[in-house]
Coordinates of all heavy atoms in Angstrom, one line a residue:
P1448 N -135.8 66.3 -112.2 CA -137.0 67.0 -111.8 C -138.3 66.2 -111.8 O -139.2 66.6 -111.1 CB -137.0 68.2 -112.8 CG -135.6 68.3 -113.2 CD -135.0 67.0 -113.2
I1449 N -138.3 65.1 -112.6 CA -139.5 64.3 -112.6 C -139.4 62.9 -112.0 O -140.4 62.1 -112.0 CB -140.0 64.1 -114.1 CG1 -139.0 63.5 -115.0 CG2 -140.4 65.5 -114.7 CD1 -139.5 63.1 -116.3
I1450 N -138.3 62.6 -111.4 CA -138.1 61.3 -110.7 C -138.8 61.3 -109.4 O -138.5 62.2 -108.5 CB -136.6 61.0 -110.6 CG1 -135.9 60.8 -111.9 CG2 -136.4 59.7 -109.7 CD1 -134.4 60.6 -111.9
V1451 N -139.7 60.4 -109.2 CA -140.4 60.3 -107.9 C -140.0 59.1 -107.1 O -140.4 58.9 -106.0 CB -142.0 60.3 -108.2 CG1 -142.4 61.6 -108.7 CG2 -142.4 59.1 -109.1
H1452 N -139.3 58.1 -107.7 CA -138.9 56.9 -107.0 C -137.7 56.4 -107.8 O -137.6 56.5 -109.0 CB -140.0 55.9 -107.0 CG -139.7 54.7 -106.1 ND1 -139.6 54.9 -104.7 CD2 -139.4 53.4 -106.3 CE1 -139.3 53.7 -104.2 NE2 -139.2 52.8 -105.1
M1453 N -136.7 55.8 -107.1 CA -135.6 55.1 -107.7 C -135.5 53.7 -107.2 O -136.0 53.3 -106.1 CB -134.3 55.9 -107.4 CG -134.3 57.3 -108.0 SD -132.7 58.1 -107.7 CE -131.7 57.2 -109.0
Q1454 N -134.9 52.8 -108.0 CA -134.6 51.4 -107.6 C -133.2 51.1 -108.1 O -132.7 51.6 -109.0 CB -135.7 50.5 -108.2 CG -137.1 50.7 -107.6 CD -138.1 49.8 -108.3 OE1 -138.1 49.7 -109.5 NE2 -139.0 49.3 -107.5
L1455 N -132.7 50.1 -107.4 CA -131.3 49.7 -107.7 C -131.1 48.2 -107.7 O -131.9 47.4 -107.1 CB -130.3 50.3 -106.7 CG -130.4 49.9 -105.2 CD1 -129.9 48.6 -104.8 CD2 -129.7 51.0 -104.3
A1456 N -130.2 47.8 -108.5 CA -129.6 46.4 -108.5 C -128.4 46.5 -109.4 O -128.3 47.3 -110.3 CB -130.7 45.4 -109.1
D1457 N -127.5 45.6 -109.2 CA -126.3 45.6 -110.0 C -126.5 44.8 -111.3 O -127.5 44.1 -111.5 CB -125.1 45.0 -109.3 CG -123.8 45.7 -109.6 OD1 -123.6 46.2 -110.7 OD2 -122.9 45.8 -108.7
V1458 N -125.7 45.1 -112.3 CA -125.8 44.5 -113.6 C -124.5 43.6 -113.9 O -123.4 44.0 -113.5 CB -125.8 45.6 -114.7 CG1 -125.9 45.1 -116.1 CG2 -127.0 46.6 -114.4
P1459 N -124.7 42.4 -114.4 CA -125.8 41.9 -115.2 C -126.8 41.0 -114.4 O -127.9 40.7 -115.0 CB -125.1 41.1 -116.3 CG -123.9 40.5 -115.6 CD -123.5 41.6 -114.6
A1460 N -126.5 40.5 -113.2 CA -127.3 39.5 -112.6 C -128.4 39.9 -111.7 O -129.1 39.1 -111.2 CB -126.3 38.5 -111.8
R1461 N -128.6 41.2 -111.6 CA -129.6 41.8 -110.7 C -129.4 41.4 -109.3 O -130.4 41.2 -108.5 CB -131.0 41.5 -111.2 CG -132.1 42.5 -110.8 CD -133.4 42.3 -111.4 NE -134.3 43.4 -111.2 CZ -135.5 43.6 -111.7 NH1 -136.0 42.7 -112.5 NH2 -136.2 44.7 -111.4
N1462 N -128.2 41.3 -108.8 CA -127.9 41.1 -107.4 C -127.6 42.4 -106.7 O -127.8 43.5 -107.3 CB -126.7 40.1 -107.3 CG -127.0 38.8 -107.9 OD1 -126.1 38.2 -108.5 ND2 -128.2 38.2 -107.8
E1463 N -127.1 42.4 -105.5 CA -126.9 43.6 -104.7 C -125.7 44.4 -105.3 O -124.9 43.9 -106.0 CB -126.6 43.2 -103.2 CG -125.6 42.2 -103.0 CD -126.1 40.8 -102.8 OE1 -126.8 40.3 -103.8 OE2 -126.0 40.2 -101.8
P1464 N -125.7 45.7 -105.0 CA -124.6 46.5 -105.4 C -123.2 45.9 -105.0 O -123.1 45.4 -103.9 CB -124.8 47.8 -104.7 CG -126.3 47.9 -104.5 CD -126.7 46.5 -104.2
G1465 N -122.3 46.0 -105.9 CA -120.9 45.5 -105.6 C -120.7 44.1 -106.2 O -119.6 43.6 -106.1
T1466 N -121.7 43.5 -106.9 CA -121.6 42.2 -107.4 C -121.4 42.3 -109.0 O -121.3 41.2 -109.6 CB -122.8 41.3 -107.1 OG1 -124.0 42.0 -107.6 CG2 -122.9 41.1 -105.6
G1467 N -121.5 43.5 -109.5 CA -121.5 43.6 -111.0 C -120.6 44.7 -111.5 O -119.6 45.1 -110.9
E1468 N -121.1 45.3 -112.6 CA -120.3 46.2 -113.3 C -120.4 47.7 -113.0 O -119.6 48.5 -113.4 CB -120.6 46.1 -114.8 CG -122.0 46.6 -115.2 CD -122.4 46.2 -116.6 OE1 -122.0 45.0 -117.1 OE2 -123.1 46.9 -117.3
L1469 N -121.4 48.1 -112.2 CA -121.6 49.5 -111.9 C -120.7 50.1 -110.8 O -120.3 49.4 -109.9 CB -123.1 49.6 -111.5 CG -124.1 49.4 -112.7 CD1 -125.5 49.4 -112.1 CD2 -124.0 50.6 -113.7
G1470 N -120.5 51.4 -111.0 CA -119.6 52.1 -110.0 C -120.5 52.7 -108.9 O -120.9 53.9 -109.1
W1471 N -120.8 52.0 -107.9 CA -121.8 52.5 -106.9 C -121.3 53.6 -106.1 O -122.2 54.5 -105.7 CB -122.3 51.3 -106.0 CG -123.1 50.3 -106.8 CD1 -122.7 49.1 -107.4 CD2 -124.4 50.5 -107.3 NE1 -123.7 48.6 -108.1 CE2 -124.8 49.4 -108.0 CE3 -125.4 51.5 -107.0 CZ2 -126.0 49.2 -108.6 CZ3 -126.6 51.4 -107.6 CH2 -127.0 50.2 -108.3
E1472 N -120.1 53.7 -105.8 CA -119.6 54.9 -105.0 C -120.0 56.2 -105.7 O -120.5 57.1 -105.1 CB -118.1 54.8 -104.8 CG -117.6 53.7 -103.9 CD -117.2 52.5 -104.7 OE1 -117.6 52.4 -105.9 OE2 -116.5 51.6 -104.2
F1473 N -119.7 56.2 -107.0 CA -120.0 57.4 -107.8 C -121.5 57.6 -107.9 O -122.0 58.7 -107.8 CB -119.4 57.3 -109.2 CG -119.6 58.5 -110.0 CD1 -118.8 59.7 -109.8 CD2 -120.5 58.6 -111.0 CE1 -119.0 60.8 -110.5 CE2 -120.7 59.7 -111.8 CZ -120.0 60.8 -111.5
I1474 N -122.3 56.5 -108.2 CA -123.7 56.6 -108.3 C -124.4 57.2 -107.1 O -125.2 58.1 -107.1 CB -124.3 55.3 -108.7 CG1 -124.0 54.9 -110.1 CG2 -125.9 55.3 -108.5 CD1 -124.4 53.5 -110.5
F1475 N -124.0 56.7 -105.9 CA -124.6 57.2 -104.7 C -124.2 58.6 -104.4 O -125.0 59.4 -103.9 CB -124.2 56.3 -103.5 CG -124.8 55.0 -103.5 CD1 -124.1 53.8 -103.3 CD2 -126.2 54.8 -103.7 CE1 -124.7 52.5 -103.2 CE2 -126.8 53.6 -103.7 CZ -126.1 52.4 -103.5
R1476 N -123.0 59.0 -104.7 CA -122.6 60.4 -104.6 C -123.4 61.3 -105.5 O -123.8 62.4 -105.1 CB -121.1 60.6 -104.9 CG -120.1 60.1 -103.9 CD -118.7 60.7 -104.0 NE -118.2 60.6 -105.3 CZ -117.4 59.6 -105.7 NH1 -117.1 58.6 -104.9 NH2 -116.9 59.6 -106.9
R1477 N -123.7 60.9 -106.7 CA -124.5 61.7 -107.6 C -125.9 61.8 -107.1 O -126.5 62.9 -107.3 CB -124.4 61.1 -109.0 CG -123.1 61.3 -109.7 CD -122.7 62.8 -109.8 NE -123.6 63.5 -110.7 CZ -123.8 64.8 -110.5 NH1 -123.2 65.5 -109.6 NH2 -124.6 65.5 -111.4
I1478 N -126.5 60.7 -106.6 CA -127.8 60.8 -106.1 C -127.9 61.9 -105.0 O -128.8 62.7 -105.0 CB -128.3 59.5 -105.5 CG1 -128.5 58.5 -106.7 CG2 -129.6 59.6 -104.7 CD1 -128.7 57.0 -106.2
D1479 N -126.9 61.9 -104.1 CA -126.9 63.0 -103.1 C -126.7 64.4 -103.7 O -127.4 65.3 -103.3 CB -125.8 62.7 -102.1 CG -126.2 61.5 -101.1 OD1 -127.4 61.2 -101.0 OD2 -125.3 61.0 -100.5
A1480 N -125.7 64.5 -104.6 CA -125.4 65.8 -105.2 C -126.5 66.4 -105.9 O -126.7 67.6 -106.0 CB -124.1 65.6 -106.0
L1481 N -127.3 65.5 -106.5 CA -128.5 66.0 -107.3 C -129.7 66.4 -106.5 O -130.7 66.8 -107.0 CB -128.9 65.0 -108.4 CG -127.8 64.7 -109.5 CD1 -128.2 63.5 -110.3 CD2 -127.8 66.0 -110.4
G1482 N -129.6 66.1 -105.2 CA -130.6 66.5 -104.2 C -131.8 65.7 -104.2 O -132.9 66.1 -103.8
Y1483 N -131.7 64.4 -104.6 CA -132.9 63.5 -104.6 C -133.3 63.3 -103.2 O -132.5 62.9 -102.3 CB -132.5 62.2 -105.3 CG -133.6 61.2 -105.3 CD1 -134.8 61.4 -106.0 CD2 -133.5 60.0 -104.5 CE1 -135.8 60.4 -106.0 CE2 -134.5 59.0 -104.5 CZ -135.6 59.3 -105.2 OH -136.7 58.3 -105.2
Q1484 N -134.6 63.4 -103.0 CA -135.2 63.3 -101.6 C -136.1 62.1 -101.4 O -136.6 61.9 -100.3 CB -136.0 64.6 -101.3 CG -135.2 65.9 -101.3 CD -134.1 65.8 -100.2 OE1 -134.4 65.5 -99.0 NE2 -132.9 66.1 -100.6
G1485 N -136.3 61.4 -102.5 CA -137.2 60.2 -102.4 C -136.6 59.0 -101.9 O -135.4 59.0 -101.4
W1486 N -137.3 57.8 -102.0 CA -136.7 56.6 -101.6 C -136.0 55.8 -102.8 O -136.4 56.1 -103.9 CB -137.9 55.7 -101.1 CG -138.5 56.2 -99.8 CD1 -139.5 57.0 -99.6 CD2 -138.0 55.9 -98.5 NE1 -139.7 57.3 -98.3 CE2 -138.8 56.6 -97.6 CE3 -136.9 55.1 -98.0 CZ2 -138.6 56.6 -96.2 CZ3 -136.8 55.1 -96.6 CH2 -137.6 55.8 -95.7
V1487 N -135.1 55.0 -102.4 CA -134.4 54.1 -103.4 C -134.7 52.7 -103.0 O -134.3 52.2 -101.9 CB -132.9 54.3 -103.4 CG1 -132.2 53.4 -104.4 CG2 -132.6 55.8 -103.7
G1488 N -135.5 52.0 -103.8 CA -135.9 50.7 -103.5 C -134.8 49.7 -103.9 O -134.3 49.7 -105.0
C1489 N -134.6 48.8 -103.0 CA -133.5 47.7 -103.2 C -134.2 46.5 -103.9 O -134.5 45.5 -103.3 CB -132.9 47.3 -101.9 SG -132.1 48.6 -101.0
E1490 N -134.4 46.7 -105.2 CA -135.1 45.7 -106.0 C -134.1 44.8 -106.7 O -133.9 44.8 -107.9 CB -136.0 46.4 -107.1 CG -137.0 45.4 -107.7 CD -137.8 46.0 -108.8 OE1 -137.3 46.8 -109.6 OE2 -139.0 45.6 -108.9
Y1491 N -133.5 44.0 -105.8 CA -132.4 43.1 -106.3 C -132.7 41.7 -105.7 O -133.3 41.5 -104.7 CB -131.0 43.6 -106.0 CG -130.7 43.7 -104.5 CD1 -130.3 42.5 -103.8 CD2 -130.7 44.9 -103.8 CE1 -129.9 42.6 -102.5 CE2 -130.3 44.9 -102.5 CZ -129.9 43.8 -101.8 OH -129.6 43.8 -100.5
R1492 N -132.1 40.7 -106.4 CA -132.1 39.3 -105.9 C -130.8 39.1 -105.1 O -129.8 39.1 -105.7 CB -132.3 38.4 -107.1 CG -133.5 38.6 -107.9 CD -133.5 37.5 -109.0 NE -134.6 37.8 -110.0 CZ -134.5 38.4 -111.1 NH1 -133.2 38.8 -111.5 NH2 -135.5 38.6 -111.9
P1493 N -130.9 38.9 -103.8 CA -129.7 38.6 -103.1 C -128.9 37.4 -103.7 O -129.5 36.4 -104.0 CB -130.2 38.3 -101.7 CG -131.5 39.0 -101.6 CD -132.1 38.9 -103.0
A1494 N -127.6 37.6 -103.8 CA -126.8 36.6 -104.4 C -126.7 35.4 -103.4 O -126.4 34.3 -103.8 CB -125.4 37.1 -104.6
G1495 N -126.9 35.6 -102.1 CA -126.9 34.6 -101.1 C -128.0 34.9 -100.1 O -129.1 35.3 -100.5

C-alpha cells in the first residue's frame, strides 16, 4: 500500500535477473498479483 516505486537487480552481484539466486518468475508473478501499478527500475549492472 505504500510502495511508490520498485527497483530490481539479482543477488549477489547486482547484475540482470537470471544471473543470481532470486526466483524471478515467482517475483514477477507476485508483483502482478499484488496489483502494483508503478514502475520497476532496472537498477542493475549488466554482466556484459
Side-chain angles (χ1 to χ4, degrees):
I1449 59 170
I1450 294 174
V1451 293
H1452 190 70
M1453 298 184 73
Q1454 290 175 321
L1455 61 76
D1457 217 329
V1458 179
R1461 204 170 191 174
N1462 299 141
E1463 52 263 63
T1466 58
E1468 68 191 36
L1469 288 168
W1471 290 100
E1472 294 93 342
F1473 184 77
I1474 289 173
F1475 289 134
R1476 286 202 305 271
R1477 288 303 293 153
I1478 291 173
D1479 283 343
L1481 291 169
Y1483 177 67
Q1484 298 297 311
W1486 292 92
V1487 180
C1489 298
E1490 194 185 35
Y1491 66 80
R1492 302 183 187 95

